[in-house]
Amino acid sequence: MTQDNVPGAAPSLSRLVQELNRLPGIGPKSAQRLAYYIIRLPDEEATALADAVTAAKQNIIFCEHCQNLTDASPCSICSDPRRDQTIVCVVEEPLDILALERTRSYRGLYHVLHGVISPINGIGPDQIKLKELFSRLAQPDLVELVVATNPTLEGEATAMYIRRHQGREDLRVTHLARGLPVGGSLEYSDETTLSRAFQGRQEL
Amino acid sequence: MAPPRTYRCEAITLSHTPLGEADLLVTMYTRDQGKVRAVGKGARRSTSKLMGHLEPLTIVKLSLAHGRNMDVISQAEVVDGFATLKGDLTAIAKGQYLAELVGGFGAEESANPGLFQLMIDTLRAVAANPQSDTPLRFFELHLLQVSGLSPELYQCVECRVELEPGAHRFSPNVGGTLCLECSPDDAHLRPLSLRALKILRHFDRSNIYEACNIAIDDELAEELKSLLLTTVSYWLGKEIRSNSFLERLHNESLSEV
Ligand SMILES: [Zn+2]
Ligand SMILES: [Zn+2]
């Protein structure tokens, strides 16, 4: 999407549209709407937005333990003494931690992979934070690893890779239950989901 | 305004990428339309009726509506999800490799039912024996054939002499086997053992089940892999990305023995 040659569009406005258009989920139309909105903001609000982008980019680092994005390492979860230090939950993305934290049903630690093994996109085990995970697993007080990658083909393949390479016979390796989504329906469920939901049936 | 025209098709899904808030852009290979990229609206929501039906390496029956830019998937029904294959890491990696090649060689708006069937037969063979590389080698040779790029296996491509039993050479870029006398300009020449030539001819004349029944030792397997991979990536015009993960798993399995 190039806006360079659009007659009547100021070059600096076009540049803003182009940059916004690069963001995930922002198409050319939305990028234009956002750009015009930003231009009409009072100066101090626009500056605050630009400063927030710059500050986030400068201050955010990877937590040395869990690889989550943080202002200070170790992050607030890793440095919280009330968290259960014997269990680590592996997730694909930082947003997955927010989703799991909202459930308030997990009190252990996390590990963020920042992606999944995706050979077709040139992403192998070395391109995500697996090396960091495996070196963490050497800690003997760790007793359980919960692999919470997404139940997609690539998420499952990454989970299998972790199970195969974690290298500790005494470590309990679990994954989240697969089953029917709340609000879903049997009729429209695919065969894999249904058969796993059946295998995982529980006492009523 | 006329209602959008809809059509049904049978497809094998190859890959997908997220699109917008909750949509999925699915690349698939259909029996009757060749490669198709279509949008599953809201398919990433856990309550979507498309959820789970569009994962890569699934045979699906789809209803699609022609859209302004891209076709839109309105219904999906799983014919075969290859559950056995998806329970094995090596088999998944092989499936992803096949998907990359079908995506690379398959053309849009150009039906090639032979390629569709080859993909499905090979996925079944991989699921039946995830550790064997023979299904991949059979696939690579037949991929070239159904794409109109059949390598010559019976004569010298330059002087047309019938090849006698013995050592020969193979050139990915001039189209197959060469006798020891001929060296066309700019041919990338590779040695070709008689054993490898016999296997290639056997693959050429067999279906995948017959091909997979033959025993191939490690040395011969390496020769066939190198020859066919070089030829396929020559025609693809780029490196096959998913091969590096496959190689990694292969090397790890060797070091475990
Ligand atoms: Zn942390
Ligand atoms: Zn010759």
Side-chain angles (χ1 to χ4, degrees), chain A residues 88-124:
Chain A
V88 167
C89 174
V90 182
V91 294
E92 293 179 14
E93 299 293 344
L95 285 174
D96 298 332
I97 294 187
L98 298 186
L100 286 165
E101 284 297 292
R102 276 197 300 269
T103 69
R104 298 180 187 279
S105 50
Y106 177 69
R107 298 299 297 162
L109 304 175
Y110 291 99
H111 188 92
V112 187
L113 295 175
H114 295 278
V116 277
I117 298 173
S118 177
I120 216 160
N121 294 310
I123 299 169

Side-chain angles (χ1 to χ4, degrees), chain A residues 126 153 160-161 165 181 188, chain B residues 46 53 55 86 96 248 252:
Chain A
D126 299 336
L153 183 68
M160 287 183 225
Y161 188 88
H165 289 79
Y188 290 123
Chain B
S46 63
H53 293 67
E55 276 306 294
K86 290 173 186 174
Q96 289 169 321
R248 186 182 180 125
E252 284 170 3

Side-chain angles (χ1 to χ4, degrees), chain A residues 27 37 52 75 95 104 118 121 131 138 158 168 177 191 194 203:
Chain A
Y37 176 82
C75 71
L95 285 174
R104 298 180 187 279
S118 177
N121 294 310
K131 199 166 55 251
T158 305
R168 257 185 65 183
E191 51 167 83
L194 260 185
E203 297 301 330

Side-chain angles (χ1 to χ4, degrees), chain A residues 63-68 70 73-79 110 136:
Chain A
C63 169
E64 63 199 277
H65 300 306
C66 70
Q67 309 300 321
N68 195 7
T70 175
S73 177
C75 71
S76 57
I77 292 180
C78 289
S79 53
Y110 291 99
R136 254 182 113 181

Side-chain angles (χ1 to χ4, degrees), chain B residues 156 158-161 178-179 181-182:
Chain B
C156 169
E158 187 77 355
C159 69
R160 289 290 154 197
V161 67
L178 284 154
C179 73
E181 270 77 61
C182 292

